[in-house]
Amino acid sequence: MSEPRDAPKSPEFDLAFQPAHGEAVPVAGHVQRITVNNPGPFTFHGTNSYIVGDASVCVIDPGPEDEAHFSALMAALAGREVTHIAVSHTHKDHSPLARRLKAETGALIVAEGPYRPARPLHEGEANPFAESSDLDFVPDITLADGDVVEGDGWRLTTILTPGHTANHAAFALDDDGIVFSADHVMAWATSIVAPPDGAMGDYMASLERLLTRDDRIYLPGHGGPVNEPAAFLRGLRTHRRMRERAVLERIRAGDRLIPDMVKVIYASTDPRLHGAAALSVLAHLEDLVEKGQVTTDGPARLAGVYQPA
């Protein structure tokens, strides 16, 4: 799931992607991609499911409860043993089909854990993405950072990457230089970080964590591959830091309310996406309040009044 793409500065995004909905497309040695036909402003051309392995496989992010996609997955999996279903996070475009796929194949569902917000709701606050979360998801095996899931000819190492959601995880295909980055890093857009489900401080720490690695390619949850991960990660980090500076500049210029900041910072963005943009600004403000650079009346919230510290 992505945030609106706009000023201040963005990395070099790659929008060239052929989804081939319903087809199993080889994308690397022993890896196939099947894209769900669920395009939208937050999903690009649709959610990517990945099949890792040959005779014995793991399915990463089976996707939403979608009949056509389930049929496409089962056709691609015919004659193969499915031992694991790995889920990156509990947004409804990634996790719900795991239950049906488990019932059909007997595979184990593995993930960081069930849905949880990054922080508790404030008094009177509603979760704007509650309907987007798979509240019924429960993995068979919970994964800690560094935990390994392996099968015949493949080995996946868990990399916990909270930020987009509290329970977000990426999976590294050991010895191949491939990371399944889900919604944390995508080539086509930046990931939305929307409180209370996500947290900007966590997201930035997760970017730094990935920058310590030396991976060859990322295969994300939406869109095509990230072919130069280190350079792209640095671009994302710069983009987020510039967005933070833009928020601080608006507050120093006299803006006190999030909608006023959004009108300027996201001036070139479709107004229909300003609600999501407001949540992104809130995520930065939460982080700025925590760092002592901004003050507000009570906890940081969408309706809060913000001032320089």
Side-chain angles (χ1 to χ4, degrees), residues 11 184-185 190 203 207 232-240:
H184 187 64
V185 180
T190 52
Y203 183 86
L207 285 185
F232 195 80
L233 286 167
R234 288 192 292 270
L236 285 178
R237 182 176 62 185
T238 298
H239 169 78
R240 296 291 185 177

Side-chain angles (χ1 to χ4, degrees), residues 122 289 294-301 304-306:
H122 301 313
V289 168
V294 172
T295 63
T296 185
D297 50 338
R301 61 180 72 218
V305 178
Y306 297 91

Side-chain angles (χ1 to χ4, degrees), residues 116 160-169 184 199 201-206:
R116 70 180 188 281
L160 296 188
T161 48
H164 175 63
T165 62
N167 64 357
H168 196 285
H184 187 64
D202 290 344
Y203 183 86
M204 295 300 289
S206 294

Side-chain angles (χ1 to χ4, degrees), residues 58-293:
C58 174
V59 176
I60 298 177
D61 282 353
E65 184 56 62
D66 180 278
E67 189 64 39
H69 188 60
F70 179 74
S71 296
L73 276 174
M74 294 310 299
L77 295 168
R80 300 199 269 182
E81 178 189 18
V82 184
T83 60
H84 296 83
I85 302 164
V87 173
S88 66
H89 65 294
T90 47
H91 279 151
K92 285 185 177 177
D93 59 321
H94 288 261
S95 61
L97 201 62
R99 293 184 284 277
R100 189 172 174 191
L101 189 59
K102 173 188 174 178
E104 188 71 25
T105 65
L108 293 171
I109 299 174
V110 301
E112 188 273 353
Y115 165 82
R116 70 180 188 281
R119 60 158 175 80
L121 286 172
H122 301 313
E123 184 178 354
E125 182 184 27
N127 184 346
F129 278 99
E131 293 185 1
S132 300
S133 297
D134 183 1
L135 304 182
D136 297 324
F137 177 84
V138 179
D140 297 307
I141 298 173
T142 57
L143 298 173
D145 194 62
D147 279 355
V148 171
V149 178
E150 57 188 328
D152 185 15
W154 55 268
R155 173 185 165 100
L156 293 169
T157 297
T158 306
I159 310 169
L160 296 188
T161 48
H164 175 63
T165 62
N167 64 357
H168 196 285
F171 301 99
L173 186 59
D174 291 353
D175 302 324
D176 285 75
I178 295 171
V179 168
F180 298 93
S181 57
D183 285 9
H184 187 64
V185 180
M186 302 177 289
W188 74 284
T190 52
S191 175
I192 190 168
V193 179
D197 282 2
M200 188 59 68
D202 290 344
Y203 183 86
M204 295 300 289
S206 294
L207 285 185
E208 294 294 342
R209 169 100 191 285
L210 289 177
L211 275 166
T212 66
R213 297 176 55 87
D214 184 24
D215 298 302
R216 177 174 59 86
I217 190 171
Y218 287 179
L219 298 177
H222 306 274
V226 177
N227 290 307
E228 297 183 12
F232 195 80
L233 286 167
R234 288 192 292 270
L236 285 178
R237 182 176 62 185
T238 298
H239 169 78
R240 296 291 185 177
R241 288 174 175 173
M242 292 184 70
R243 177 64 50 74
E244 179 183 270
R245 287 198 293 272
V247 171
L248 275 172
E249 287 169 4
R250 293 315 311 159
I251 293 174
R252 290 166 180 162
D255 288 351
R256 296 292 175 258
L257 304 176
I258 288 177
D260 296 331
M261 302 177 208
V262 169
K263 287 177 186 176
V264 177
I265 298 171
Y266 290 86
S268 62
T269 298
D270 186 335
R272 293 174 298 177
L273 298 178
H274 278 193
L279 291 168
S280 181
V281 170
L282 174 61
H284 279 289
L285 286 167
E286 282 190 341
D287 195 35
L288 288 166
V289 168
E290 185 174 339
K291 291 188 290 190
Q293 296 178 259

